[in-house]
Amino acid sequence: MTTLDSRSTAAPARPRQVDARGPRFAAAVTVVVLAATLLTIPSPLSVALLTVQTIAFALGALVGLHAQPYGILFRRVVRPRLGAPTSFEDVAPPRFAQSVGLVFAVVGLVGLLTGATLVAYVAVGFALAAAFLNAAFGFCLGCEMYLLGKRVLGARAAA
C-alpha cells in the first residue's frame, strides 16, 4: 500500500494567462468575418462565413483559447513579429466571451438556415458590435459580463 505525502513540492496552480493582444486580434478577425456575413445575407456565402465563425467560437469556448483558430494565427504568425507581451489576462473571461459569441453565432446560423433573415441580422449584428468594441477599444463585453457575474455570485455566496 502506498501513501501520498500531503506536503507537495509543486508550485500552487495559477490561473492560465494569455497575452492580452491575442483576444483583441481575434476580435479584429471576427469583425471582418461578421461584417462580411452581414453584407452577404442571404446567400450561401453568408452561411459559410457564419459557419466558420461559429466553429471558431465553439473551439474557443468549448476546447479553450489555445484551440481558437484566430488565436493560433496570432501565436504563430503575428506574435513573433511583435515585441514581448507586456500584459497578460486570465483566460476565463475571454473564454466566456467566446461562449457568448457562440450563442449569437448559433442563433444567427439557425436564422439563416431557416429563412429568418431578420433574426440572423440581429444576432450577427450584436456579435459584430461586441467584437468591434474589443478590437477597436479593448473593451471586451463578454469579459465584463463574466466579471460582473463573478461579483454577483460572490456577493450571494458571502450573504
Side-chain angles (χ1 to χ4, degrees):
M1 175 195 241
T2 60
T3 59
L4 296 176
D5 185 359
S6 62
R7 296 170 293 167
S8 174
T9 57
R14 281 187 353 198
R16 291 197 41 181
Q17 301 285 303
V18 64
D19 182 346
R21 301 171 297 184
R24 198 163 177 184
F25 172 82
V29 176
T30 298
V31 165
V32 172
V33 173
L34 293 178
T37 300
L38 279 177
L39 292 172
T40 59
I41 289 177
S43 73
L45 179 58
S46 65
V47 173
L49 289 167
L50 193 51
T51 299
V52 167
Q53 186 59 52
T54 302
I55 292 168
F57 279 143
L59 287 169
L62 304 174
V63 179
L65 296 181
H66 66 280
Q68 211 272 5
Y70 310 149
I72 293 170
L73 179 66
F74 174 78
R75 284 191 312 277
R76 292 189 181 164
V77 178
V78 177
R79 186 175 174 180
R81 290 168 172 69
L82 302 174
T86 57
S87 64
F88 293 89
E89 62 181 300
D90 183 14
V91 297
R95 189 168 178 180
F96 179 80
Q98 292 286 302
S99 300
V100 174
L102 175 61
V103 169
F104 281 102
V106 167
V107 169
L109 194 54
V110 169
L112 283 176
L113 294 174
T114 61
T117 55
L118 180 60
V119 171
Y121 274 117
V122 171
V124 173
F126 279 139
L128 174 61
F132 178 77
L133 285 173
N134 193 356
F137 304 109
F139 182 80
C140 177
L141 191 57
C143 300
E144 293 300 321
M145 290 171 53
Y146 174 86
L147 296 172
L148 179 63
K150 290 228 4 151
R151 277 186 233 124
V152 168
L153 294 175
R156 284 187 183 171

